[in-house]
Amino acid sequence: MATFRVERTDERDVKPSLPGQYVTIKMKMPDGVHEPRQYSLTKADDGRHRQFAVKRVRTPGPTERCPTSSTTP
């Protein structure tokens, strides 16, 4: 788990929010497409910062298989 604390780059205050709400971050993917990702806030704002956490999901390597899911009745 990685925690990020971001700050505005201009002089405006951060809009009020509470833990459990989310932020949308646009990420540039390897194919060049900017894809949005949502992350839950983990701490109330202080007027300048937002804090959120990201869980790293390991991608299987070329010799590994993705886990399969099964359902039980």
Side-chain angles (χ1 to χ4, degrees):
M1 183 80 64
T3 299
F4 296 90
R5 186 171 186 244
V6 295
E7 182 177 5
R8 287 195 68 102
T9 57
D10 60 23
E11 296 301 315
R12 297 184 304 166
D13 283 342
V14 174
K15 291 181 182 179
S17 60
L18 299 170
Q21 291 180 307
Y22 65 90
V23 294
T24 300
I25 307 293
K26 284 189 179 180
M27 301 292 296
K28 187 173 183 180
M29 307 314 282
D31 62 1
V33 174
H34 285 84
E35 191 154 328
R37 298 279 192 245
Q38 285 80 31
Y39 300 101
S40 294
L41 297 175
T42 57
K43 191 174 186 180
D45 296 329
D46 63 5
R48 295 289 304 160
H49 304 90
R50 289 241 166 107
Q51 182 173 303
F52 59 95
V54 178
K55 180 180 178 182
R56 182 178 179 142
V57 177
R58 193 169 159 270
T59 304
T63 60
E64 299 174 292
R65 294 180 56 199
C66 292
T68 57
S69 62
S70 62
T71 57
T72 51

